[in-house]
Amino acid sequence: MQAHEMMIHDVYKVMETDSVRAVIKKFIEHRISGVPVVNHRNEIIAYVSDGDIMRYIGKHKDIFVDSLYTVTVFKGDNEEFDERIKKILDLNVLELAKRKVEKIQSHKEIEEVAAILGKKRIKKLPVERDGVLVGIISRGDVIRNTFKSIL
């Protein structure tokens, strides 16, 4: 089975000119955790996930990691945190998104899709044809399509 046979064709995506606010709205509206970032030609130029946003939120001065298992949070001003969150919403999506995007061509076999998702430890893989976004495949899509005929 090839990628185009199992991918989701109607892909939620954001434009390279969108703000983080637009990304968060998509996440909430559609109950998703990541989207490809495309340019005006629908070419994949980045990918932004909830993890990227969490890492950005966590980049502030009142957290200190003592060890692998100990995190100390210094009590700061809640208003200061709220202000940082508001500023994040107005950032351009490319300030948080990963520019090196794992993606796969639409004609690739399911084994290659599974290998990339597993090895790279990612949840979703954008699918492209002729350099343009045409779909997306999740780990769940691979599991369903691999085992549905034998269960």
Side-chain angles (χ1 to χ4, degrees), residues 115-142:
I116 293 170
L117 289 168
K119 183 178 180 183
K120 300 293 183 172
R121 297 181 182 204
I122 54 178
K123 297 177 185 176
K124 296 178 185 139
L125 191 58
V127 182
E128 66 179 3
R129 181 181 307 122
D130 300 323
V132 174
L133 175 68
V134 294
I136 197 158
I137 299 175
S138 71
R139 293 185 291 191
D141 297 325
V142 173

Side-chain angles (χ1 to χ4, degrees), residues 14-120:
V14 293
M15 299 299 295
E16 65 184 331
T17 55
D18 283 341
S19 68
V20 172
R21 183 181 310 275
V23 172
I24 298 293
K25 282 182 179 179
K26 284 226 194 263
F27 285 6
I28 292 169
E29 266 180 56
H30 302 292
R31 301 183 69 149
I32 57 175
S33 59
V35 289
V37 180
V38 298
N39 63 19
H40 68 281
R41 291 186 299 272
N42 208 37
E43 298 166 324
I44 305 163
I45 60 166
Y47 192 90
V48 64
S49 70
D50 54 0
D52 299 320
I53 294 168
M54 290 299 107
R55 278 186 289 283
Y56 197 90
I57 291 170
K59 283 184 176 179
H60 56 83
K61 62 184 175 207
D62 43 11
I63 291 182
F64 177 72
V65 180
D66 296 328
S67 70
L68 184 61
Y69 303 105
T70 308
V71 176
T72 303
V73 179
F74 298 104
K75 298 296 180 200
D77 186 354
N78 281 341
E79 288 180 27
E80 183 182 314
F81 180 77
D82 291 346
E83 285 303 311
R84 278 198 311 267
I85 295 302
K86 288 176 186 171
K87 287 179 184 175
I88 290 170
L89 291 174
D90 293 328
L91 293 175
N92 177 276
V93 64
L94 293 177
E95 292 187 53
L96 288 104
K98 286 189 177 80
R99 304 276 183 131
K100 184 177 178 195
V101 182
E102 294 296 332
K103 49 194 169 186
I104 196 156
Q105 297 299 310
S106 64
H107 67 276
K108 295 296 184 175
E109 295 293 329
I110 194 169
E111 293 90 347
E112 191 169 344
V113 173
I116 293 170
L117 289 168
K119 183 178 180 183
K120 300 293 183 172

Side-chain angles (χ1 to χ4, degrees), residues 137-150:
I137 299 175
S138 71
R139 293 185 291 191
D141 297 325
V142 173
I143 295 295
R144 279 187 292 284
N145 284 284
T146 300
F147 296 103
K148 69 181 177 188
S149 65
I150 57 174

